[in-house]
Coordinates of all heavy atoms in Angstrom, one line a residue:
W183 N 21.5 93.4 106.3 CA 20.8 92.4 105.6 C 19.4 92.2 106.2 O 19.2 92.5 107.4 CB 21.5 91.1 105.3 CG 22.0 90.5 106.6 CD1 21.4 89.4 107.2 CD2 23.2 90.8 107.3 NE1 22.2 89.1 108.3 CE2 23.3 89.9 108.4 CE3 24.3 91.7 107.1 CZ2 24.4 89.9 109.3 CZ3 25.3 91.7 108.0 CH2 25.4 90.8 109.1
G184 N 18.5 91.6 105.5 CA 17.1 91.4 106.0 C 16.4 90.3 105.2 O 16.9 89.9 104.1
E185 N 15.3 89.8 105.8 CA 14.6 88.8 105.1 C 13.7 89.3 104.0 O 13.2 88.5 103.2 CB 13.7 88.1 106.2 CG 14.5 87.3 107.2 CD 13.7 86.7 108.3 OE1 12.5 86.4 108.1 OE2 14.2 86.5 109.4
S186 N 13.6 90.6 103.9 CA 12.9 91.2 102.7 C 13.7 92.5 102.5 O 14.4 93.0 103.3 CB 11.5 91.5 103.1 OG 11.4 92.5 104.1
L187 N 13.4 93.1 101.3 CA 14.0 94.4 101.0 C 13.6 95.5 102.0 O 14.3 96.3 102.5 CB 13.7 94.8 99.6 CG 14.6 95.8 98.9 CD1 16.0 95.5 99.1 CD2 14.2 95.8 97.4
Q188 N 12.3 95.4 102.3 CA 11.7 96.4 103.3 C 12.4 96.2 104.6 O 12.8 97.2 105.3 CB 10.2 96.2 103.4 CG 9.6 97.2 104.3 CD 9.5 98.6 103.6 OE1 9.2 98.7 102.5 NE2 9.9 99.6 104.4
Q189 N 12.6 95.0 105.1 CA 13.2 94.8 106.4 C 14.7 95.3 106.4 O 15.1 95.9 107.3 CB 13.2 93.3 106.8 CG 13.7 93.1 108.2 CD 13.7 91.7 108.6 OE1 14.3 90.8 108.0 NE2 13.0 91.3 109.7
A190 N 15.4 95.0 105.3 CA 16.8 95.5 105.2 C 16.8 97.0 105.2 O 17.7 97.6 105.8 CB 17.4 94.9 103.9
H191 N 15.9 97.6 104.4 CA 15.8 99.1 104.4 C 15.6 99.6 105.8 O 16.2 100.6 106.2 CB 14.7 99.4 103.4 CG 14.2 100.9 103.5 ND1 13.2 101.2 104.5 CD2 14.5 102.0 102.9 CE1 13.0 102.5 104.4 NE2 13.8 103.0 103.4
D192 N 14.6 99.1 106.5 CA 14.3 99.6 107.8 C 15.4 99.4 108.8 O 15.7 100.3 109.6 CB 13.0 98.8 108.4 CG 11.8 99.1 107.5 OD1 11.8 100.1 106.7 OD2 10.8 98.4 107.7
R193 N 16.1 98.3 108.7 CA 17.3 98.0 109.6 C 18.4 99.0 109.3 O 19.1 99.5 110.2 CB 17.7 96.6 109.4 CG 16.8 95.6 110.0 CD 17.2 94.1 109.7 NE 16.5 93.2 110.5 CZ 16.6 91.9 110.4 NH1 17.4 91.4 109.5 NH2 15.9 91.1 111.2
L194 N 18.6 99.3 108.0 CA 19.7 100.2 107.6 C 19.4 101.6 108.2 O 20.3 102.3 108.7 CB 19.8 100.3 106.1 CG 20.9 101.3 105.6 CD1 22.3 100.9 106.1 CD2 20.9 101.4 104.1
E195 N 18.1 102.0 108.1 CA 17.8 103.3 108.7 C 18.1 103.3 110.3 O 18.5 104.3 110.8 CB 16.3 103.6 108.5 CG 16.0 104.0 107.0 CD 14.6 104.6 106.9 OE1 13.7 104.2 107.6 OE2 14.4 105.4 106.0
C196 N 17.8 102.2 110.9 CA 18.0 102.1 112.4 C 19.5 102.2 112.6 O 20.0 102.9 113.6 CB 17.4 100.8 113.0 SG 15.6 100.8 112.9
V197 N 20.3 101.4 111.9 CA 21.8 101.4 112.1 C 22.3 102.8 111.8 O 23.2 103.3 112.6 CB 22.5 100.4 111.1 CG1 24.0 100.6 111.2 CG2 22.1 99.0 111.6
E198 N 21.9 103.5 110.7 CA 22.4 104.8 110.4 C 22.0 105.8 111.5 O 22.7 106.7 111.8 CB 21.9 105.3 109.1 CG 22.6 104.6 107.9 CD 24.1 104.9 107.8 OE1 24.5 105.9 108.4 OE2 24.8 104.2 107.2
F199 N 20.8 105.6 112.1 CA 20.4 106.4 113.3 C 21.4 106.3 114.4 O 21.8 107.3 115.0 CB 19.0 106.0 113.7 CG 18.4 106.8 114.9 CD1 17.5 107.8 114.7 CD2 18.8 106.5 116.2 CE1 17.0 108.5 115.8 CE2 18.3 107.2 117.3 CZ 17.4 108.2 117.1

Side-chain angles (χ1 to χ4, degrees):
W183 54 98
E185 293 177 23
S186 65
L187 200 45
Q188 185 69 45
Q189 187 182 57
H191 163 274
D192 295 349
R193 287 173 169 178
L194 179 60
E195 287 191 330
C196 293
V197 170
E198 287 294 343
F199 179 100

